[in-house]
Coordinates of all heavy atoms in Angstrom, one line a residue:
M1 N 43.8 0.1 -21.7 CA 44.9 0.6 -22.4 C 45.4 -0.4 -23.4 O 45.6 -1.5 -23.1 CB 46.0 1.0 -21.4 CG 47.2 1.6 -22.1 SD 48.3 2.2 -20.8 CE 49.8 2.0 -21.6
V2 N 45.6 0.1 -24.6 CA 46.1 -0.8 -25.7 C 47.6 -0.8 -25.7 O 48.2 0.3 -25.7 CB 45.6 -0.4 -27.1 CG1 46.1 -1.2 -28.2 CG2 44.0 -0.4 -27.1
K3 N 48.2 -1.9 -25.7 CA 49.7 -2.0 -25.8 C 50.1 -2.2 -27.2 O 49.9 -3.4 -27.7 CB 50.3 -3.1 -24.8 CG 50.1 -2.8 -23.4 CD 50.7 -3.8 -22.5 CE 50.6 -3.5 -21.1 NZ 51.3 -4.4 -20.2
F4 N 50.7 -1.2 -27.9 CA 51.1 -1.3 -29.2 C 52.4 -2.1 -29.4 O 52.9 -2.4 -30.4 CB 51.2 0.1 -29.9 CG 49.9 0.8 -30.0 CD1 49.6 1.8 -29.2 CD2 49.0 0.4 -30.9 CE1 48.4 2.5 -29.3 CE2 47.8 1.0 -31.1 CZ 47.5 2.1 -30.2
Q5 N 53.1 -2.3 -28.2 CA 54.4 -3.0 -28.3 C 54.3 -4.5 -27.9 O 55.2 -5.1 -27.5 CB 55.3 -2.3 -27.3 CG 55.7 -0.9 -27.7 CD 56.6 -0.9 -29.0 OE1 57.4 -1.8 -29.2 NE2 56.3 0.1 -29.8
S6 N 53.1 -5.1 -28.2 CA 53.0 -6.5 -27.9 C 52.7 -7.2 -29.1 O 52.0 -6.8 -30.0 CB 51.9 -6.7 -26.8 OG 50.6 -6.5 -27.4
A7 N 53.3 -8.4 -29.2 CA 53.1 -9.2 -30.4 C 51.7 -9.7 -30.6 O 51.1 -9.8 -31.7 CB 54.0 -10.5 -30.4
S8 N 51.0 -9.9 -29.5 CA 49.6 -10.2 -29.5 C 48.7 -9.1 -30.1 O 47.8 -9.4 -30.9 CB 49.0 -10.7 -28.2 OG 49.1 -9.6 -27.2
F9 N 49.0 -7.9 -29.8 CA 48.3 -6.8 -30.4 C 48.4 -6.8 -31.9 O 47.5 -6.7 -32.7 CB 48.7 -5.4 -29.9 CG 48.2 -4.2 -30.7 CD1 47.0 -3.8 -30.5 CD2 49.0 -3.7 -31.7 CE1 46.5 -2.7 -31.3 CE2 48.5 -2.6 -32.5 CZ 47.3 -2.2 -32.2
W10 N 49.7 -7.0 -32.4 CA 50.0 -6.9 -33.8 C 49.4 -8.2 -34.5 O 49.1 -8.1 -35.7 CB 51.5 -6.8 -34.1 CG 51.9 -5.4 -33.7 CD1 52.7 -5.0 -32.7 CD2 51.6 -4.2 -34.4 NE1 52.8 -3.7 -32.7 CE2 52.1 -3.1 -33.7 CE3 50.8 -3.9 -35.6 CZ2 52.0 -1.8 -34.1 CZ3 50.6 -2.6 -35.9 CH2 51.2 -1.6 -35.3
M11 N 49.3 -9.3 -33.8 CA 48.7 -10.5 -34.4 C 47.2 -10.1 -34.8 O 46.7 -10.4 -35.9 CB 48.7 -11.6 -33.5 CG 47.9 -12.9 -34.0 SD 48.6 -13.6 -35.5 CE 49.7 -14.8 -34.8
G12 N 46.5 -9.5 -33.9 CA 45.1 -9.1 -34.1 C 45.0 -8.1 -35.3 O 44.2 -8.1 -36.2
A13 N 46.0 -7.1 -35.3 CA 46.0 -6.0 -36.3 C 46.3 -6.6 -37.7 O 45.6 -6.3 -38.7 CB 47.0 -4.9 -36.0
L14 N 47.2 -7.5 -37.8 CA 47.6 -8.1 -39.1 C 46.5 -9.1 -39.5 O 46.2 -9.1 -40.7 CB 48.9 -8.9 -38.9 CG 50.2 -8.0 -38.7 CD1 51.4 -8.8 -38.4 CD2 50.4 -7.1 -39.9
T15 N 45.9 -9.8 -38.6 CA 44.8 -10.7 -39.0 C 43.6 -9.9 -39.5 O 43.0 -10.3 -40.5 CB 44.4 -11.6 -37.8 OG1 45.6 -12.3 -37.3 CG2 43.3 -12.5 -38.1
D16 N 43.4 -8.8 -38.9 CA 42.3 -7.9 -39.3 C 42.6 -7.3 -40.8 O 41.7 -7.3 -41.6 CB 42.1 -6.7 -38.4 CG 40.9 -5.8 -38.7 OD1 39.8 -6.4 -38.9 OD2 41.1 -4.6 -38.8
L17 N 43.8 -7.0 -41.0 CA 44.2 -6.5 -42.3 C 44.0 -7.5 -43.4 O 43.4 -7.3 -44.5 CB 45.7 -6.0 -42.4 CG 46.0 -4.7 -41.7 CD1 47.5 -4.5 -41.7 CD2 45.3 -3.6 -42.5
K18 N 44.4 -8.8 -43.1 CA 44.2 -9.9 -44.0 C 42.7 -10.1 -44.2 O 42.3 -10.3 -45.4 CB 44.9 -11.1 -43.5 CG 44.9 -12.2 -44.5 CD 45.9 -13.3 -44.1 CE 46.1 -14.2 -45.3 NZ 47.3 -15.1 -45.1
A19 N 41.9 -10.1 -43.2 CA 40.4 -10.3 -43.3 C 39.8 -9.1 -44.1 O 38.8 -9.4 -44.8 CB 39.8 -10.3 -41.9
R20 N 40.4 -8.0 -44.1 CA 39.9 -6.9 -45.0 C 40.3 -6.9 -46.4 O 40.0 -6.0 -47.2 CB 40.2 -5.5 -44.3 CG 39.6 -5.3 -43.0 CD 40.1 -4.1 -42.3 NE 39.6 -3.9 -41.0 CZ 38.8 -2.8 -40.7 NH1 38.6 -1.9 -41.6 NH2 38.3 -2.7 -39.5
G21 N 41.1 -7.9 -46.8 CA 41.5 -8.0 -48.2 C 43.0 -7.9 -48.5 O 43.3 -8.0 -49.7
V22 N 43.8 -7.5 -47.5 CA 45.2 -7.4 -47.9 C 45.7 -8.9 -48.1 O 45.6 -9.8 -47.3 CB 46.1 -6.8 -46.7 CG1 47.5 -6.8 -47.0 CG2 45.6 -5.4 -46.5
E23 N 46.3 -9.1 -49.3 CA 46.6 -10.5 -49.7 C 48.1 -10.8 -49.3 O 48.4 -11.9 -49.0 CB 46.4 -10.7 -51.2 CG 45.0 -10.6 -51.6 CD 44.8 -10.8 -53.1 OE1 45.8 -11.1 -53.8 OE2 43.7 -10.5 -53.5
D24 N 49.0 -9.8 -49.4 CA 50.4 -10.0 -49.1 C 51.1 -8.7 -48.7 O 50.7 -7.7 -49.1 CB 51.1 -10.6 -50.3 CG 52.4 -11.2 -50.0 OD1 52.7 -11.5 -48.8 OD2 53.1 -11.5 -50.9
V25 N 52.0 -8.9 -47.8 CA 52.9 -7.8 -47.4 C 54.3 -8.2 -47.8 O 54.7 -9.2 -47.3 CB 52.8 -7.5 -45.9 CG1 53.8 -6.5 -45.4 CG2 51.4 -7.1 -45.5
L26 N 54.9 -7.4 -48.7 CA 56.2 -7.9 -49.2 C 57.4 -7.6 -48.2 O 58.2 -8.5 -48.0 CB 56.5 -7.1 -50.5 CG 55.5 -7.4 -51.6 CD1 55.8 -6.6 -52.9 CD2 55.4 -8.9 -52.0
V27 N 57.4 -6.4 -47.6 CA 58.5 -6.1 -46.7 C 57.9 -5.4 -45.5 O 57.0 -4.5 -45.6 CB 59.5 -5.1 -47.4 CG1 60.6 -4.7 -46.4 CG2 60.1 -5.7 -48.6
T28 N 58.4 -5.8 -44.3 CA 58.1 -5.1 -43.1 C 59.3 -4.6 -42.4 O 60.4 -5.3 -42.5 CB 57.3 -6.0 -42.1 OG1 58.1 -7.1 -41.8 CG2 56.0 -6.4 -42.6
V29 N 59.3 -3.5 -41.8 CA 60.4 -2.9 -41.0 C 60.0 -2.8 -39.6 O 58.9 -2.1 -39.3 CB 60.8 -1.6 -41.6 CG1 62.0 -1.0 -40.8 CG2 61.1 -1.7 -43.0
T30 N 60.7 -3.5 -38.7 CA 60.3 -3.5 -37.3 C 61.4 -3.0 -36.3 O 62.5 -2.8 -36.8 CB 59.9 -5.0 -36.8 OG1 61.1 -5.7 -36.7 CG2 58.9 -5.6 -37.8
D31 N 60.9 -2.9 -35.1 CA 61.9 -2.5 -34.0 C 62.5 -3.7 -33.3 O 63.1 -3.6 -32.3 CB 61.3 -1.5 -33.1 CG 60.1 -2.1 -32.3 OD1 59.8 -3.3 -32.6 OD2 59.6 -1.5 -31.4
N32 N 62.3 -4.9 -33.9 CA 62.8 -6.1 -33.4 C 62.1 -6.5 -32.1 O 62.7 -7.2 -31.2 CB 64.3 -6.1 -33.2 CG 65.0 -7.4 -33.2 OD1 64.4 -8.4 -33.8 ND2 66.1 -7.6 -32.6
L33 N 60.9 -6.2 -31.9 CA 60.0 -6.6 -30.8 C 60.0 -8.1 -30.8 O 59.8 -8.8 -31.7 CB 58.6 -6.1 -31.0 CG 57.5 -6.6 -30.0 CD1 57.7 -6.0 -28.6 CD2 56.2 -6.2 -30.6
N34 N 60.2 -8.7 -29.5 CA 60.2 -10.2 -29.4 C 58.9 -10.8 -30.0 O 57.8 -10.4 -29.6 CB 60.3 -10.5 -28.0 CG 61.7 -10.4 -27.4 OD1 62.7 -10.3 -28.2 ND2 61.8 -10.3 -26.1
G35 N 59.1 -11.7 -30.9 CA 57.9 -12.4 -31.4 C 57.3 -11.7 -32.6 O 56.4 -12.3 -33.2
F36 N 57.7 -10.5 -32.9 CA 57.0 -9.7 -34.0 C 57.2 -10.3 -35.3 O 56.3 -10.5 -36.1 CB 57.4 -8.3 -33.9 CG 56.5 -7.3 -34.7 CD1 55.2 -7.7 -35.0 CD2 56.9 -6.1 -35.1 CE1 54.4 -6.8 -35.7 CE2 56.1 -5.2 -35.8 CZ 54.9 -5.6 -36.1
T37 N 58.4 -10.7 -35.6 CA 58.8 -11.3 -36.9 C 58.0 -12.6 -37.1 O 57.4 -12.9 -38.2 CB 60.3 -11.6 -37.0 OG1 61.0 -10.3 -36.9 CG2 60.6 -12.2 -38.4
D38 N 57.9 -13.4 -36.0 CA 57.2 -14.7 -36.1 C 55.7 -14.4 -36.3 O 55.0 -15.1 -37.1 CB 57.4 -15.5 -34.8 CG 58.8 -16.0 -34.7 OD1 59.5 -16.1 -35.7 OD2 59.2 -16.2 -33.5
T39 N 55.2 -13.4 -35.7 CA 53.8 -13.0 -35.9 C 53.5 -12.6 -37.3 O 52.5 -13.0 -37.9 CB 53.4 -11.8 -34.9 OG1 53.6 -12.2 -33.6 CG2 52.0 -11.3 -35.1
I40 N 54.4 -11.8 -37.9 CA 54.2 -11.3 -39.2 C 54.2 -12.5 -40.2 O 53.4 -12.7 -41.1 CB 55.3 -10.3 -39.7 CG1 55.1 -9.0 -38.9 CG2 55.2 -10.1 -41.1 CD1 56.3 -8.1 -38.9
K41 N 55.2 -13.4 -40.0 CA 55.3 -14.6 -40.8 C 54.1 -15.6 -40.7 O 53.8 -16.2 -41.7 CB 56.6 -15.4 -40.4 CG 57.9 -14.7 -40.9 CD 58.1 -14.9 -42.3 CE 59.4 -14.4 -42.8 NZ 59.6 -14.4 -44.2
S42 N 53.5 -15.6 -39.5 CA 52.4 -16.5 -39.4 C 51.1 -16.0 -40.2 O 50.3 -16.8 -40.6 CB 52.0 -16.7 -37.9 OG 51.5 -15.5 -37.4
V43 N 51.0 -14.7 -40.4 CA 49.9 -14.1 -41.1 C 50.3 -13.9 -42.6 O 49.5 -14.3 -43.5 CB 49.4 -12.8 -40.5 CG1 48.3 -12.2 -41.2 CG2 49.0 -13.0 -39.0
F44 N 51.4 -13.4 -42.8 CA 51.9 -13.1 -44.2 C 53.2 -13.9 -44.4 O 54.3 -13.3 -44.2 CB 52.1 -11.6 -44.5 CG 50.8 -10.8 -44.3 CD1 50.6 -10.0 -43.2 CD2 49.8 -10.9 -45.3 CE1 49.4 -9.3 -43.1 CE2 48.7 -10.2 -45.2 CZ 48.4 -9.4 -44.1
S45 N 53.1 -15.1 -44.8 CA 54.2 -16.0 -44.8 C 55.4 -15.6 -45.8 O 56.5 -16.0 -45.5 CB 53.8 -17.5 -45.1 OG 53.1 -17.5 -46.3
D46 N 55.1 -14.9 -46.8 CA 56.1 -14.6 -47.8 C 56.7 -13.2 -47.5 O 57.6 -12.8 -48.2 CB 55.5 -14.5 -49.2 CG 55.1 -15.9 -49.7 OD1 55.6 -16.9 -49.2 OD2 54.1 -16.0 -50.5
S47 N 56.4 -12.6 -46.4 CA 56.9 -11.3 -46.1 C 58.4 -11.4 -45.7 O 58.8 -12.3 -45.0 CB 56.1 -10.7 -44.9 OG 56.6 -9.4 -44.6
T48 N 59.1 -10.4 -46.1 CA 60.5 -10.2 -45.6 C 60.6 -9.2 -44.5 O 60.0 -8.1 -44.7 CB 61.4 -9.8 -46.8 OG1 61.3 -10.8 -47.8 CG2 62.8 -9.6 -46.4
T49 N 61.2 -9.4 -43.4 CA 61.3 -8.5 -42.3 C 62.7 -8.0 -42.2 O 63.7 -8.8 -42.2 CB 60.8 -9.2 -41.0 OG1 59.5 -9.6 -41.3 CG2 60.8 -8.2 -39.9
Q50 N 62.9 -6.7 -41.9 CA 64.2 -6.2 -41.6 C 64.0 -5.3 -40.4 O 62.9 -4.8 -40.1 CB 64.8 -5.4 -42.7 CG 64.2 -4.1 -43.0 CD 64.9 -3.4 -44.2 OE1 65.1 -4.0 -45.2 NE2 65.2 -2.1 -44.0
I51 N 65.1 -5.1 -39.7 CA 65.1 -4.2 -38.4 C 65.4 -2.8 -38.9 O 66.2 -2.5 -39.7 CB 66.1 -4.7 -37.4 CG1 65.8 -6.1 -37.0 CG2 66.1 -3.8 -36.2 CD1 66.9 -6.7 -36.1
C52 N 64.6 -1.8 -38.3 CA 64.8 -0.4 -38.6 C 66.3 0.0 -38.3 O 66.8 -0.4 -37.3 CB 63.8 0.4 -37.8 SG 64.1 2.1 -37.8
V53 N 66.8 0.7 -39.3 CA 68.2 1.2 -39.1 C 68.4 2.1 -37.9 O 69.4 1.9 -37.1 CB 68.6 2.0 -40.4 CG1 70.0 2.6 -40.2 CG2 68.6 1.1 -41.6
V54 N 67.4 2.9 -37.6 CA 67.5 3.7 -36.4 C 67.6 2.9 -35.1 O 68.4 3.1 -34.2 CB 66.3 4.7 -36.3 CG1 66.3 5.5 -35.0 CG2 66.4 5.7 -37.5
H55 N 66.7 1.9 -35.1 CA 66.8 0.9 -33.9 C 68.1 0.2 -33.8 O 68.6 -0.1 -32.8 CB 65.6 0.0 -33.9 CG 64.3 0.7 -33.6 ND1 63.5 1.3 -34.4 CD2 63.7 0.8 -32.3 CE1 62.4 1.8 -33.8 NE2 62.6 1.5 -32.5
Q56 N 68.6 -0.2 -35.0 CA 69.9 -1.0 -35.0 C 71.0 -0.1 -34.4 O 71.8 -0.5 -33.6 CB 70.2 -1.4 -36.4 CG 69.4 -2.6 -36.9 CD 69.8 -3.0 -38.3 OE1 70.4 -2.2 -39.0 NE2 69.4 -4.2 -38.6
I57 N 71.0 1.2 -34.9 CA 72.0 2.1 -34.4 C 71.9 2.3 -32.9 O 72.9 2.3 -32.1 CB 72.0 3.4 -35.2 CG1 72.4 3.2 -36.6 CG2 72.9 4.5 -34.5 CD1 72.2 4.4 -37.6
R58 N 70.7 2.6 -32.5 CA 70.4 2.8 -31.0 C 70.8 1.6 -30.2 O 71.5 1.8 -29.2 CB 68.9 3.1 -30.8 CG 68.7 4.4 -30.3 CD 67.2 4.5 -29.9 NE 66.7 5.7 -30.7 CZ 65.4 5.8 -31.0 NH1 64.5 5.0 -30.7 NH2 65.0 6.9 -31.7
N59 N 70.5 0.4 -30.7 CA 70.9 -0.8 -29.9 C 72.4 -1.0 -29.9 O 73.0 -1.4 -28.9 CB 70.2 -2.0 -30.5 CG 68.7 -2.0 -30.2 OD1 68.3 -1.4 -29.3 ND2 68.0 -2.7 -31.0
S60 N 73.1 -0.6 -31.0 CA 74.6 -0.8 -31.0 C 75.3 0.2 -30.1 O 76.4 -0.1 -29.7 CB 75.1 -0.7 -32.4 OG 74.9 0.6 -33.0
C61 N 74.7 1.3 -29.9 CA 75.3 2.4 -29.1 C 75.5 2.0 -27.7 O 76.4 2.5 -27.0 CB 74.5 3.7 -29.1 SG 74.6 4.6 -30.6
R62 N 74.8 1.0 -27.2 CA 74.9 0.6 -25.8 C 76.2 -0.2 -25.6 O 76.6 -0.4 -24.5 CB 73.7 -0.2 -25.3 CG 73.5 -1.5 -26.0 CD 72.2 -2.1 -25.4 NE 71.6 -2.9 -26.5 CZ 70.6 -3.6 -26.4 NH1 70.0 -3.8 -25.2 NH2 70.2 -4.3 -27.4
Y63 N 76.9 -0.6 -26.7 CA 78.1 -1.3 -26.6 C 79.4 -0.4 -26.7 O 80.5 -0.8 -26.6 CB 78.2 -2.4 -27.7 CG 77.2 -3.4 -27.5 CD1 76.1 -3.4 -28.4 CD2 77.2 -4.4 -26.5 CE1 75.0 -4.3 -28.3 CE2 76.2 -5.3 -26.4 CZ 75.1 -5.3 -27.3 OH 74.1 -6.2 -27.2
V64 N 79.1 0.9 -26.8 CA 80.2 1.9 -26.9 C 80.5 2.3 -25.5 O 79.6 2.6 -24.7 CB 79.8 3.1 -27.7 CG1 80.9 4.2 -27.7 CG2 79.5 2.7 -29.1
V65 N 81.8 2.4 -25.2 CA 82.3 2.8 -23.8 C 81.7 4.2 -23.6 O 81.8 5.1 -24.4 CB 83.8 2.7 -23.7 CG1 84.3 3.2 -22.4 CG2 84.3 1.3 -24.0
W66 N 81.3 4.5 -22.3 CA 80.6 5.7 -22.0 C 81.5 6.9 -22.3 O 81.1 7.9 -22.9 CB 80.3 5.8 -20.5 CG 79.5 7.0 -20.2 CD1 78.2 7.2 -20.3 CD2 80.0 8.2 -19.6 NE1 77.8 8.5 -19.9 CE2 78.9 9.1 -19.5 CE3 81.3 8.6 -19.2 CZ2 79.1 10.4 -18.9 CZ3 81.4 9.9 -18.7 CH2 80.4 10.8 -18.6
K67 N 82.8 6.8 -22.1 CA 83.8 7.9 -22.3 C 83.9 8.3 -23.8 O 84.2 9.4 -24.2 CB 85.2 7.6 -21.8 CG 85.3 7.6 -20.3 CD 86.8 7.5 -19.9 CE 87.1 6.4 -18.9 NZ 88.5 6.2 -18.7
E68 N 83.6 7.3 -24.6 CA 83.8 7.5 -26.1 C 82.5 7.7 -26.8 O 82.4 8.0 -28.0 CB 84.5 6.3 -26.7 CG 85.9 6.1 -26.1 CD 86.5 4.8 -26.6 OE1 85.9 4.1 -27.4 OE2 87.6 4.5 -26.2
K69 N 81.4 7.7 -26.1 CA 80.0 7.8 -26.7 C 79.8 9.1 -27.4 O 79.3 9.2 -28.5 CB 79.0 7.5 -25.7 CG 77.6 7.3 -26.3 CD 76.6 6.8 -25.3 CE 76.8 5.3 -25.2 NZ 75.7 4.6 -24.6
K70 N 80.2 10.2 -26.8 CA 80.0 11.6 -27.4 C 80.7 11.6 -28.7 O 80.2 12.1 -29.7 CB 80.4 12.6 -26.4 CG 80.1 14.0 -26.9 CD 80.5 15.1 -25.9 CE 80.1 16.4 -26.3 NZ 80.5 17.5 -25.3
E71 N 82.0 11.2 -28.8 CA 82.7 11.2 -30.0 C 82.2 10.3 -31.0 O 82.1 10.6 -32.2 CB 84.2 10.9 -29.7 CG 85.1 10.9 -30.9 CD 86.5 10.5 -30.6 OE1 86.8 10.2 -29.4 OE2 87.3 10.4 -31.6
F72 N 81.8 9.1 -30.6 CA 81.2 8.1 -31.5 C 79.9 8.7 -32.1 O 79.7 8.6 -33.4 CB 80.8 6.9 -30.7 CG 80.1 5.8 -31.5 CD1 80.8 5.0 -32.4 CD2 78.7 5.7 -31.3 CE1 80.1 4.0 -33.1 CE2 78.0 4.7 -32.0 CZ 78.7 3.9 -32.9
L73 N 79.0 9.3 -31.4 CA 77.8 9.8 -31.9 C 78.0 11.0 -32.8 O 77.3 11.1 -33.8 CB 76.9 10.3 -30.7 CG 76.3 9.1 -29.9 CD1 75.5 9.6 -28.7 CD2 75.5 8.1 -30.8
A74 N 79.0 11.8 -32.5 CA 79.4 12.9 -33.5 C 79.9 12.3 -34.8 O 79.5 12.8 -35.8 CB 80.5 13.8 -32.8
D75 N 80.7 11.3 -34.7 CA 81.2 10.6 -36.0 C 80.0 10.0 -36.7 O 79.9 10.0 -38.0 CB 82.2 9.6 -35.7 CG 83.5 10.2 -35.2 OD1 83.7 11.4 -35.5 OD2 84.3 9.4 -34.6
L76 N 79.1 9.4 -36.0 CA 77.9 8.8 -36.6 C 77.0 9.7 -37.4 O 76.5 9.4 -38.4 CB 77.1 8.1 -35.5 CG 76.1 7.1 -35.9 CD1 76.7 6.0 -36.8 CD2 75.3 6.5 -34.7
K77 N 76.9 11.0 -36.9 CA 76.1 12.0 -37.6 C 76.6 12.2 -39.0 O 75.9 12.5 -39.9 CB 76.1 13.3 -36.8 CG 75.2 13.2 -35.6 CD 75.2 14.6 -34.9 CE 74.3 14.5 -33.7 NZ 74.2 15.8 -33.0
N78 N 77.9 12.1 -39.2 CA 78.5 12.3 -40.5 C 78.1 11.1 -41.5 O 78.0 11.4 -42.7 CB 80.0 12.3 -40.5 CG 80.5 13.5 -39.8 OD1 79.9 14.6 -39.9 ND2 81.6 13.4 -39.1
I79 N 77.8 10.0 -41.0 CA 77.3 8.9 -41.8 C 75.9 9.1 -42.2 O 75.5 8.9 -43.4 CB 77.5 7.5 -41.0 CG1 78.9 7.3 -40.7 CG2 76.9 6.4 -41.8 CD1 79.2 6.1 -39.8

């Protein structure tokens, strides 16, 4: 079974892309997987990495008090 959520998998995939002729990746958007940004930087050193907005929102929701979560999410939909 291939684990797509491992930095080592992505190291191989990115190295393969570079070997196939990709010279540079300007921007990457990730889910903030541990080590993924470092992996990208080690293969494509000039790349800029940002965290996916959906993942940022999902991660921030865990800090909302449970009683207020439904109202918070309803307000968030308006944004």
Side-chain angles (χ1 to χ4, degrees):
M1 180 172 147
V2 178
K3 292 186 178 183
F4 295 106
Q5 291 295 322
S6 71
S8 61
F9 167 82
W10 288 109
M11 175 62 92
L14 293 170
T15 303
D16 185 50
L17 284 172
K18 191 164 191 168
R20 291 172 182 244
V22 175
E23 294 178 11
D24 196 13
V25 174
L26 299 177
V27 178
T28 57
V29 181
T30 71
D31 63 353
N32 206 23
L33 171 71
N34 284 338
F36 196 19
T37 300
D38 294 334
T39 300
I40 294 166
K41 287 285 188 188
S42 70
V43 179
F44 298 106
S45 58
D46 293 333
S47 180
T48 301
T49 302
Q50 73 178 49
I51 300 170
C52 171
V53 173
V54 173
H55 283 88
Q56 288 180 338
I57 291 169
R58 244 187 236 156
N59 290 337
S60 66
C61 286
R62 65 181 148 174
Y63 298 105
V64 177
V65 177
W66 186 83
K67 288 190 230 178
E68 298 173 3
K69 193 168 278 199
K70 186 175 182 180
E71 181 182 358
F72 174 79
L73 293 174
D75 289 342
L76 192 59
K77 284 183 181 181
N78 292 326
I79 296 171

